[in-house]
Amino acid sequence: MRVIGLTGGIACGKSTVSSILKSLGAKIIDADKMAHELMQPKQALYNLYVAHWGERILTEHATLDRRAVGAIVFGDAEERAWLDRAAHPVLEAELRRRLKALRKKHKDVVVLDVPLLFESGWDAYADEIWVASIPEALQVERLKARNHLTEAEACARIAAQMPLAEKRARADVVLDNSGTREYLTEQVRAAYFHAKKGFSSPASNESNVNESKSETIAGGTPNGNL
């Protein structure tokens, strides 16, 4: 089984890459969805949060009120630190469990779709790292349009993350999402089928790959923009 760690900057198309990989047959472990599942009633994160904060974080239907949790952790640095310390081991244990189960099923390619892949240290579970990337100016414009933000707000959100340049430098495969969906799909397909063969990065002429040290940029100059 080959494990791909997938990440990228905000509004860079990581979710699009993940959906393409799923259509190609890869098994996706989505960190956000996994956390959401563990926050359902009687699940691990639900029990942890209720034990710490009590019923004030529950809705009238006894489900977790994520807005209430957000209001607490974003308004109190100590509570945010507690959340990070307490939730991380639970999530990592579930990640390990799912990877173990998939290995028993002899899956070819598993994708860890994790926004904070490097920050969480989960890149250690991957055989290779893929990063969805676009130029910063385009990233700002896409984020403004997607989230209805001002330019200052969009820039602040981007600045709050690990620099995209650093993610690219730590990647094995960098996917250029500054062009069309078809252009991105071609890159993902080339990288995916190389991963299935056990290679760490694509090297075909069709994907117009350029290698520099440990970084591989899949694709060249796009013909158009989304």
Side-chain angles (χ1 to χ4, degrees):
M1 187 175 81
R2 191 154 190 85
V3 180
I4 296 169
L6 173 63
T7 191
I10 188 172
C12 285
K14 176 183 65 62
S15 296
T16 302
V17 173
S18 185
S19 68
I20 295 170
L21 284 165
K22 183 177 181 179
S23 73
L24 292 171
K27 174 64 179 179
I28 311 297
I29 298 178
D30 185 315
D32 288 339
K33 289 182 179 178
M34 185 172 73
H36 181 71
E37 291 168 8
L38 292 175
M39 286 189 284
Q40 298 309 302
K42 309 307 179 182
Q43 297 301 309
L45 288 181
Y46 176 97
N47 293 338
L48 187 71
Y49 296 167
V50 173
H52 183 70
W53 287 307
E55 295 186 358
R56 60 177 170 147
I57 61 166
L58 298 180
T59 68
E60 61 182 20
H61 302 294
T63 58
L64 200 67
D65 186 340
R66 298 178 68 181
R67 286 179 179 269
V69 174
I72 293 170
V73 300
F74 288 111
D76 188 322
E78 289 186 4
E79 292 288 9
R80 178 61 183 269
W82 175 86
L83 177 68
D84 290 340
R85 289 194 310 271
H88 184 82
V90 174
L91 290 166
E92 189 164 17
E94 178 64 13
L95 172 65
R96 287 173 177 266
R97 187 193 68 78
R98 294 189 183 195
L99 285 173
K100 183 177 181 180
L102 289 169
R103 285 195 177 93
K104 289 182 177 179
K105 294 179 180 178
H106 305 291
K107 294 294 182 181
D108 289 335
V109 177
V110 174
V111 177
L112 304 183
D113 182 345
V114 188
L116 302 179
L117 183 70
F118 296 117
E119 296 90 333
S120 66
W122 287 10
D123 56 309
Y125 292 99
D127 297 303
E128 58 186 83
I129 305 297
W130 292 16
V131 169
S133 179
I134 57 177
E136 184 176 352
L138 182 57
Q139 184 182 14
V140 171
E141 291 306 311
R142 287 186 180 176
L143 184 56
K144 284 167 59 180
R146 189 189 75 180
N147 290 32
H148 308 290
L149 303 174
T150 66
E151 182 154 348
E153 290 171 335
C155 289
R157 293 201 182 187
I158 292 170
Q161 294 192 333
M162 176 186 289
L164 189 53
E166 183 177 346
K167 292 183 179 182
R168 288 196 300 265
R170 297 174 63 176
D172 299 293
V173 175
V174 178
L175 299 159
D176 176 11
N177 189 29
S178 60
T180 63
R181 171 69 178 249
E182 291 75 18
Y183 173 69
L184 178 63
T185 299
E186 289 176 3
Q187 297 173 69
V188 174
R189 284 180 60 87
Y192 173 73
F193 287 113
H194 274 81
K196 286 197 70 169
K197 294 176 183 178
F199 292 96
S200 62
S201 59
S204 67
N205 291 329
E206 291 182 356
S207 61
N208 194 20
V209 175
N210 296 309
E211 292 190 3
S212 174
K213 297 182 180 179
S214 64
E215 178 181 6
T216 299
I217 301 180
T221 303
N223 294 323
N225 293 326
L226 288 172

